[in-house]
């Protein structure tokens, strides 16, 4: 739903500075999440650590023209709505938006389980309803209004979470959500430190349901039942009961008053199968079942849908550990309720080996309980859940050591002290729950206990992506926009994760080759503008559905796109006009086609040019500077001619990665960043590793079958294998590192052969290592038979014989202290990918994008 800026000004009671017309569709509080600047209203919120007013100029540069602020401001063609509090204005606007809808709105609050209930309700209701729900855990004073803003004309049921951390917060959320149905999940310790009692917190949460028609709750919880009676709630109360019987858990519902409507008449005892066995899931399923039945889901539908519930993303991780251990990692938070959930998960996890169950627990902070009472309860939970061994870490829990009656129980003041102890070194054949607050750094415990899996992986350094982005941004004017290329799965690095990182760092556009790549990004939560560089006519509908912006390079393509848009009733779909200034690949002729192009564009309204661009042929080399100048002159004339035919501003861009650095004076409105983003310098005086590989031909211990004699002296491992490239690329950071491990070591005598077709003939007694990577993983066969090398323990190990589909063999004879399981670097931080591309007489793009999908990607950032 769109609101005019005039209507919003009235709804929030603002004083308006500016007269520009605007229709608002998007509300923005985090400047990094900008997607559609022309339809965005930015709320400059102030927090203890930040002030949204700082980002107004940046957002204005990126196209935002509507702002809600505290202070008088003025920028050309912009609207500033001045209010005492942008947060209060955001909440008031959401409240007025909520007033437009007469639909069932389910408000969900509690201490634990809100997100699980919301997501499971969505799964149960969505087959019959158009459900709008809070994204992720948008349940705060900011998240709730943003969630409610998502309600639209198609919504017939809404599911909105509400969370509070202190008294006095719920009333504002109640005014925004205005729930017709209230669901109260379990109460617990989170944020208890700000409340005098659990009862006070319960009463605060119940304010959400003051005007609701019905409240759904756990009737077995005496505190909740008492608080509901005390609250004076006048609507219908539906409580669930569960009783453990010999046949399982028996569920019943109890509705008050006794006169039930048609829907709630089905709230008699029901049975359903749940694909989860832990207490937390059972508890959440009861709230889901009661709410679904009240909303008209039949018992038969409930049974079918509950049995097919999918798990909500949990923070518990189960990993295989060393020395016969299994690790359950739950170091996201630490409170008494989440501890009980984790212990229940551990207790119900089958372990046919009968191993010791161990809990490693840090101090529990901000519980709102007296320390002695808190750890007595922890001890009771451990006893009840079958913990055999207890390890406590932190000063508070150590001070309460006498409270714990488990044997053995050991305590350490810090994580470092535990890691240095015999207790840590003696862990074996145990199921270990690792549960700690983040500040205790329990990820170090997990890392040291985790089994190191021998596999081929591509490590992707997301920090390096950001560093490289910022390096190229340093060449740009503040107002120059940037397009980041994430085509071909982000040059092999994984488009989804790279795109998330780029979106978080406020790039203006992402670009992919085909529509399917754009769809994958959209399905994984990417909301940034996406450009399709090679659109196919069969994918027009897909581009419309997923808000993807195609490149247009020919009259045939343009006419087909216009027809498709008109058929869908679409107007002003943004497109990007490509001009061929010398690449002679795709594009309109800037000297022959401009009049016809402008005529066709201006005599229709289905599409509208958002940008116009061309490609430099040789920006990576000084040798082509004259040709580059000629290209730019052609583009400059033609693009200005196009702009003169339209009143709106058309973005112009021609610089690529090399051009940003080589031709900063030609950056225009926008630049396209590709290979440089991934740490490869495209503007280099050395071609594709050629200096690195010279004099390498005769440095291996094998003969090729065609009789070419190779040296048996081995490689000079004292040489700096990448010194030239380290110097040249010191300003760019390596993003992708392809690694594997040594599967097996074998001593092979002189004159034996290695690999298929006996191509690797040894000229000396050799130590040969087999590594689990082959041409099916993207390791080119032409790197074999001594043509190139990998690194083992930082030293060169040449490939011996033919590279196989799944395995390659390398010579490690001259590398000391080699063991099975050692890490092997195929390319990356220490062995530039340009070395491989130089041997193959190709470009780095080909090597990077050849990495197979079966190679696991591991992402990391500081």
């Amino acid at each position: 739903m769109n609101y005019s800026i005039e209507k919003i000004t009235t709804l929030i009671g603002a004083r308006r500075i500016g007269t520009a017309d605007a229709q608002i569709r998007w509300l923005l509080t985090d400047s990094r999440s900008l997607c559609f600047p022309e339809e965005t209203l930015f709320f400059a919120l102030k927090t203890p650590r930040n002030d949204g007013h700082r980002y107004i100029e940046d957002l204005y540069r990126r196209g935002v023209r509507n702002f809600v602020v505290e202070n008088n401001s003025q920028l050309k063609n912009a609207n500033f709505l001045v209010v005492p509090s942008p947060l209060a204005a955001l909440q008031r606007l959401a409240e007025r938006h909520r007033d437009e809808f007469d639909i069932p709105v389910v408000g969900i609050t509690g201490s634990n389980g809100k997100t699980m209930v919301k997501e499971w309700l969505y799964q149960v209701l969505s087959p019959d309803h158009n459900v709008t729900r809070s994204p992720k855990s948008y349940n705060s004073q900011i998240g709730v209004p943003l969630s409610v803003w998502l309600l639209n004309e198609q919504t017939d049921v809404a599911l909105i979470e509400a969370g509070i951390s202190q008294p006095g917060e719920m009333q504002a959320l109640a005014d925004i959500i205005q729930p017709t149905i209230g669901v109260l999940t379990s109460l617990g310790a989170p944020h208890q430190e700000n409340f005098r009692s659990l009862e006070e917190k319960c009463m605060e949460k119940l304010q959400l349901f003051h005007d609701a028609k019905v409240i759904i709750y756990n009737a077995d919880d005496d505190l909740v039942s008492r608080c509901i009676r005390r609250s004076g709630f006048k609507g219908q109360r539906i409580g669930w009961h569960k009783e453990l019987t010999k046949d399982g858990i028996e569920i019943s519902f109890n509705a008050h008053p006794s006169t039930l409507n048609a829907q709630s008449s089905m709230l008699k005892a029901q049975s359903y199968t749940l694909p989860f066995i832990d207490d937390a899931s059972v508890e959440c399923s009861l709230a889901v079942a009661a709410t679904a039945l009240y909303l008209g889901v039949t018992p038969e539908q409930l049974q079918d849908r509950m049995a097919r519930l999918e798990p909500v993303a949990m923070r518990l991780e189960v990993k295989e550990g060393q020395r016969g251990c299994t690790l359950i990692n739950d170091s996201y938070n630490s409170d008494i309720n989440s501890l009980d959930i984790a212990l229940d998960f551990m207790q119900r996890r089958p372990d046919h080996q009968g191993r010791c169950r161990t809990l490693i627990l840090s101090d529990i902070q901000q519980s709102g309980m007296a320390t002695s009472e808190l750890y007595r309860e922890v001890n009771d939970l451990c006893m009840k859940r079958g913990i055999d061994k207890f390890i406590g870490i932190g000063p508070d829990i150590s001070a309460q050591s006498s409270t714990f009656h488990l044997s053995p129980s050991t305590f350490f003041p810090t994580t470092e002290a535990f890691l240095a102890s015999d207790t840590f070194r003696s862990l074996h054949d145990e199921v270990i729950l690792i549960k700690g607050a983040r500040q205790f750094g329990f990820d170090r415990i997990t890392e040291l206990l985790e089994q190191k899996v021998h596999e081929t992986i591509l490590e992707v350094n997301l920090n390096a992506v950001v560093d490289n982005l910022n390096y190229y941004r340093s060449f740009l004017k503040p107002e120059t926009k940037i397009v980041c290329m994430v085509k071909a799965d982000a040059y092999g690095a994984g488009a989804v994760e790279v795109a998330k990182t780029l979106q978080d760092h406020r790039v203006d556009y992402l670009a992919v080759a085909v529509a399917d790549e754009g769809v994958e990004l959209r399905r994984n939560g990417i909301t940034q503008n996406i450009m399709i560089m090679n659109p196919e006519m069969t994918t027009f509908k897909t581009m419309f559905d997923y808000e993807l912006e195609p490149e247009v390079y020919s009259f045939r393509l343009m006419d087909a796109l216009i027809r498709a848009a008109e058929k869908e009733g679409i107007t002003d779909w943004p497109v990007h006009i490509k001009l061929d200034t010398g690449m002679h690949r795709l594009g309109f002729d800037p000297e022959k086609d401009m009049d016809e192009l402008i005529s066709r564009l201006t005599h229709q309204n289905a599409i509208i040019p958002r940008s116009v661009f061309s490609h430099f042929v040789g920006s990576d080399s000084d040798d082509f500077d004259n040709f580059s100048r000629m290209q730019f002159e052609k583009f400059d004339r033609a693009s200005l001619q196009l702009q003169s035919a339209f009143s709106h501003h058309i973005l112009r861009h021609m610089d690529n990665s090399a051009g940003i650095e080589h031709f900063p004076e030609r950056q225009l409105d926008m630049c396209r960043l590709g290979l440089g983003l991934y740490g490869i310098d495209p503007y280099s005086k050395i071609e594709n590793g050629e200096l690195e590989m010279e004099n390498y031909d005769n440095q291996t211990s094998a003969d090729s079958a065609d009789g070419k004699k190779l040296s048996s002296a081995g490689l000079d491992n004292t040489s700096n294998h990448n010194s030239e490239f380290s110097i040249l690329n010191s300003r760019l950071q390596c993003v992708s590192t392809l690694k594997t491990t040594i599967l097996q070591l074998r001593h092979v005598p002189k004159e034996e052969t290695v690999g298929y077709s006996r191509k690797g003939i040894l000229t000396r007694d050799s130590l040969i290592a087999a590594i689990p990577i082959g041409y099916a993983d993207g390791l080119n066969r032409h790197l074999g038979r001594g043509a190139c090398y990998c690194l083992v323990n930082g030293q060169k190990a040449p490939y011996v014989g033919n590279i196989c589909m799944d395995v390659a063999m390398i010579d490690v004879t001259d590398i000391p202290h080699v063991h099975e399981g050692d890490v092997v670097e195929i390319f990356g931080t220490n062995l530039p990918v340009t070395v491989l591309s130089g041997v193959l007489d190709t470009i780095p793009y080909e090597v990077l994008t050849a990495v197979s999908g079966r190679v696991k990607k591991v992402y990391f950032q500081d």
Side-chain angles (χ1 to χ4, degrees):
M1 294 179 66
N2 291 356
Y3 284 74
S4 69
I5 195 67
E6 292 84 2
K7 183 174 182 179
I8 290 176
T9 302
T10 301
L11 291 177
I12 65 176
R15 179 169 57 86
R16 180 180 174 186
I17 300 175
T19 59
D21 291 334
Q23 291 291 319
I24 300 302
R25 182 182 175 191
W26 306 96
L27 306 186
L28 183 69
T29 61
D30 184 341
S31 62
R32 294 172 298 181
S33 301
L34 178 64
C35 182
F36 301 101
E38 299 88 350
E39 300 177 289
T40 291
L41 178 62
F42 176 69
F43 289 79
L45 305 182
K46 287 185 176 180
T47 69
R49 296 184 180 180
N50 211 345
D51 184 350
H53 295 81
R54 298 175 183 173
Y55 304 102
I56 289 175
E57 289 189 6
D58 174 64
L59 287 167
Y60 180 83
R61 178 181 63 81
R62 294 161 60 200
V64 177
R65 294 295 181 267
N66 298 281
F67 305 88
V68 178
V69 297
E70 287 186 18
N71 308 313
N72 291 344
S73 300
Q74 193 164 356
L75 289 170
K76 185 178 179 181
N77 297 322
N79 294 305
F80 289 89
L81 308 187
V82 184
V83 295
S85 167
L87 174 59
L90 171 67
Q91 295 174 339
R92 181 174 176 81
L93 178 58
E95 182 180 341
R96 299 284 74 82
H97 181 62
R98 168 65 181 89
D99 291 342
E100 299 292 323
F101 298 89
D102 184 16
I103 59 172
V105 175
V106 182
I108 306 167
T109 192
S111 299
N112 299 297
K114 296 186 294 294
T115 300
M116 184 180 289
V117 168
K118 178 197 68 183
E119 293 300 322
W120 281 358
L121 268 175
Y122 175 79
Q123 292 180 34
V124 171
L125 296 174
S126 57
D128 308 311
H129 298 278
N130 193 322
V131 182
T132 295
R133 69 193 194 280
S134 303
K136 301 177 183 176
S137 295
Y138 276 32
N139 58 28
S140 66
Q141 299 291 311
I142 298 172
V144 166
L146 294 177
S147 298
V148 170
W149 183 256
L150 299 177
L151 299 178
N152 57 62
E153 296 95 332
Q154 287 74 44
T155 305
D156 55 47
V157 175
L159 309 174
I160 308 295
E161 284 187 48
I164 57 171
S165 60
Q166 57 189 10
E169 289 186 335
M170 187 58 84
Q171 187 57 55
L173 303 186
D175 292 341
I176 298 167
I177 300 172
Q178 304 169 41
T180 60
I181 302 167
V183 177
L184 183 63
T185 65
S186 64
L187 291 177
H191 305 297
Q192 184 59 45
E193 68 276 8
N194 296 323
F195 296 90
R196 290 172 294 181
S197 65
L198 199 60
E199 185 169 350
E200 181 187 37
K201 181 162 67 175
C202 185
M203 293 300 295
E204 175 74 19
K205 288 181 178 293
L206 287 173
Q207 289 186 38
L208 178 63
F209 311 133
H210 184 269
D211 296 317
K213 296 178 181 178
V214 61
I215 182 172
I216 296 169
Y217 64 100
N218 181 2
D220 291 331
D221 189 322
D222 292 337
L223 173 64
V224 170
S225 298
R226 184 170 68 250
C227 287
I228 290 175
R229 290 193 297 270
R230 180 184 160 195
S231 72
F233 178 73
K234 295 181 174 59
Q236 189 174 15
R237 303 191 304 273
I238 299 175
W240 71 77
H241 301 269
K242 63 178 180 179
E243 181 178 353
L244 187 63
T245 70
K246 61 182 179 63
D247 298 318
I249 300 175
E250 184 176 293
I251 308 300
S252 61
F253 299 101
N254 187 11
H256 302 278
S258 56
T259 55
L260 305 178
N261 58 29
Q263 286 85 3
S264 57
S265 64
M266 290 187 290
L267 289 168
K268 51 189 177 183
Q270 302 288 350
S271 64
Y272 55 83
T273 300
L274 190 69
F276 309 97
I277 58 175
D278 58 284
D279 286 347
S281 295
V282 171
E283 185 93 354
C284 289
S285 76
L286 296 173
V288 171
T291 308
L293 290 167
Y294 180 83
L295 284 169
V297 174
T298 67
E300 294 75 23
Q301 290 172 328
L302 183 72
Q303 291 174 8
D304 175 61
R305 295 172 190 177
M306 296 294 276
R308 293 187 287 110
L309 285 178
E310 297 178 1
V312 178
M314 299 295 287
R315 298 180 179 105
L316 285 170
E317 294 179 297
V318 180
K319 303 179 178 181
E320 289 307 311
Q322 300 181 45
R323 301 189 295 273
C325 293
T326 294
L327 311 179
I328 302 174
N329 182 26
D330 186 25
S331 54
Y332 176 79
N333 59 19
S334 182
D335 64 74
I336 194 70
N337 285 83
S338 64
L339 173 62
D340 188 28
I341 291 170
L343 289 171
D344 177 61
F345 177 86
M346 182 184 192
Q347 184 183 34
R348 292 174 178 269
R349 181 177 174 81
D351 182 43
H352 304 299
Q353 302 174 49
R355 291 175 293 179
C356 171
R357 295 180 182 271
T358 301
L359 170 63
I360 303 176
L361 181 69
S362 76
D363 285 350
I364 296 177
Q365 301 172 333
Q366 299 179 336
S367 70
M369 300 171 62
T371 305
S372 57
E373 178 186 359
L374 169 65
Y375 290 109
R376 274 198 303 272
E377 189 166 342
V378 170
N379 176 75
D380 292 344
L381 279 175
C382 292
M383 300 286 285
K384 182 176 71 172
R385 296 294 190 184
I387 294 298
D388 302 305
K389 180 194 293 186
F390 183 87
I391 299 170
I393 298 176
D396 294 344
I397 201 169
S398 297
Q400 297 295 320
S401 59
S402 61
T403 304
F404 291 85
H405 305 305
L406 293 165
S407 180
S409 295
T410 52
F411 299 85
F412 301 89
T414 64
T415 303
E416 291 76 10
F418 168 61
L419 293 175
S421 70
D422 290 337
T423 301
F424 173 75
R425 288 187 288 270
S426 65
L427 294 172
H428 67 92
D429 298 310
E430 303 172 38
V431 180
I432 304 172
L433 171 60
I434 302 170
K435 177 76 175 169
R438 282 179 173 174
Q439 57 264 44
F440 283 88
F442 273 20
D443 54 338
R444 288 173 292 167
I445 300 174
T446 304
E447 182 179 350
L448 291 171
L449 288 176
E450 187 177 351
Q451 185 177 18
K452 302 302 184 288
V453 180
H454 294 173
E455 57 182 1
T456 299
I457 61 171
L458 185 73
E459 288 186 347
V460 181
N461 184 346
L462 296 176
N463 289 103
V465 173
V466 176
D467 289 342
N468 296 336
L469 171 65
N470 290 334
Y471 170 74
Y472 283 100
R473 272 180 165 168
S474 70
F475 291 91
L476 304 182
K477 300 172 185 176
E479 65 271 17
T480 303
K481 300 179 185 296
I482 197 162
V483 184
C484 287
M485 312 302 293
V486 292
K487 61 182 180 178
D489 202 26
Y491 294 55
V496 171
E497 292 301 325
V498 171
K500 288 178 179 178
T501 300
L502 295 171
Q503 178 171 274
D504 191 49
H505 286 80
R506 303 193 296 270
V507 302
D508 300 282
Y509 264 94
L510 299 170
V512 296
V514 295
D516 286 349
E517 294 178 319
V519 170
E520 179 71 10
L521 296 182
R522 288 285 188 246
R523 288 175 174 171
N524 283 276
I526 300 301
T527 58
Q528 190 57 279
N529 303 77
I530 298 176
M531 190 183 301
I532 307 300
M533 305 300 286
N534 300 108
E536 299 164 309
M537 295 187 187
T538 57
T539 62
F540 289 157
K541 181 64 164 58
T542 299
M543 287 188 281
F544 299 149
D545 290 344
Y546 288 90
E547 298 187 335
L548 308 174
E549 302 175 18
E551 165 190 311
V552 174
Y553 54 80
S554 72
F555 290 117
R556 175 173 172 266
L557 175 65
M558 183 174 71
D559 291 343
L561 179 61
I562 291 171
R563 287 194 299 271
E566 289 174 343
K567 182 179 179 180
E568 297 291 328
I570 289 172
T571 59
D572 292 336
W573 193 264
V575 299
H576 304 269
I577 305 298
K578 185 172 188 176
L579 304 181
D580 176 15
T581 57
M583 179 76 77
H584 300 321
R585 183 174 59 181
L586 295 171
F588 293 99
D589 189 319
E591 295 178 331
K592 298 178 180 178
D593 292 340
M594 295 309 298
D595 290 340
E596 178 68 16
L597 174 62
I598 291 171
S599 176
R600 294 200 193 186
L601 285 172
T602 54
H603 285 84
Q604 56 79 50
N605 65 353
I607 64 174
I608 186 171
R610 185 71 172 263
S611 81
V612 57
F613 69 104
S614 188
H615 284 280
F616 280 118
V617 171
S619 58
D620 56 346
S621 174
D622 295 344
D623 296 340
F624 304 119
D625 279 0
N626 288 334
F627 191 81
S628 296
R629 182 169 54 253
M630 178 273 294
Q631 279 192 279
F632 183 77
E633 289 170 355
K634 283 186 177 181
F635 176 74
D636 192 41
R637 287 192 300 270
S639 60
L640 289 176
Q641 183 182 354
L642 178 66
Q643 176 63 84
S644 66
F646 291 89
S647 59
H648 73 280
H649 182 64
I650 301 173
L651 299 172
R652 301 193 300 156
H653 49 110
M654 192 163 182
D655 269 351
N656 53 10
S657 296
I660 291 171
E661 195 168 358
H662 195 174
F663 307 127
E665 72 280 4
R666 297 170 182 167
Q667 59 188 257
L668 300 173
D669 298 305
M670 191 157 65
C671 297
R672 300 186 303 275
L673 181 56
L675 190 62
L677 182 66
Y678 301 95
I680 312 299
D681 187 354
Y683 181 47
S684 171
K685 300 293 190 278
I686 293 182
E687 285 192 26
N688 298 328
E690 151 177 301
L691 289 187
E692 173 58 23
M693 292 308 301
E694 67 183 15
N695 302 321
Y696 181 69
D697 287 343
N698 295 320
Q699 294 181 325
T700 183
S701 62
D703 287 343
S704 65
D706 59 12
K708 178 180 177 182
K709 187 68 174 177
L710 303 178
S711 169
S712 62
L715 296 168
D716 177 12
N717 283 307
T718 63
S719 66
N720 187 344
H721 54 266
N722 66 330
S723 58
E724 297 288 348
F725 289 95
S726 294
I727 294 170
L728 285 169
N729 291 298
S730 60
R731 60 190 179 273
L732 294 176
Q733 304 298 315
C734 175
V735 170
S736 297
T737 298
L738 184 60
K739 290 182 175 181
T740 189
T741 58
I742 293 177
L743 288 177
Q744 187 177 33
L745 290 169
R746 183 184 302 277
H747 291 279
V748 183
K750 177 182 178 180
E751 297 183 358
E752 287 285 335
T753 61
V754 176
Y756 283 117
S757 304
R758 305 201 72 186
K759 297 294 186 182
I761 304 173
L762 301 181
T763 60
R764 61 172 177 174
D765 293 342
S766 302
L767 181 61
I768 304 299
I771 57 176
I773 184 172
Y775 59 79
D777 302 293
L779 185 63
N780 195 295
R781 291 184 76 249
H782 293 93
L783 298 172
R785 299 166 62 183
C788 198
Y789 60 90
C790 54
L791 297 180
V792 177
N793 297 332
Q795 300 188 50
K796 297 175 181 177
Y799 295 104
V800 180
N802 285 329
I803 290 173
C804 309
M805 179 182 287
D806 309 302
V807 177
M809 286 70 72
I810 57 176
D811 185 354
V812 294
T813 307
D814 297 310
I815 303 176
H817 312 300
V818 178
H819 302 91
E820 292 178 357
D822 283 353
V823 174
V824 180
E825 183 173 324
I826 307 301
F827 64 74
T829 304
N830 302 299
L831 178 54
V833 69
T834 46
V835 172
L836 282 67
S837 62
V839 171
L840 296 169
D841 192 25
T842 187
I843 55 177
Y845 302 78
E846 184 175 339
V847 179
L848 291 172
T849 58
V851 177
S852 167
R854 77 178 188 179
V855 173
K856 178 182 177 182
K857 296 180 179 70
V858 177
Y859 299 91
F860 64 95
Q861 63 183 81
D862 298 333

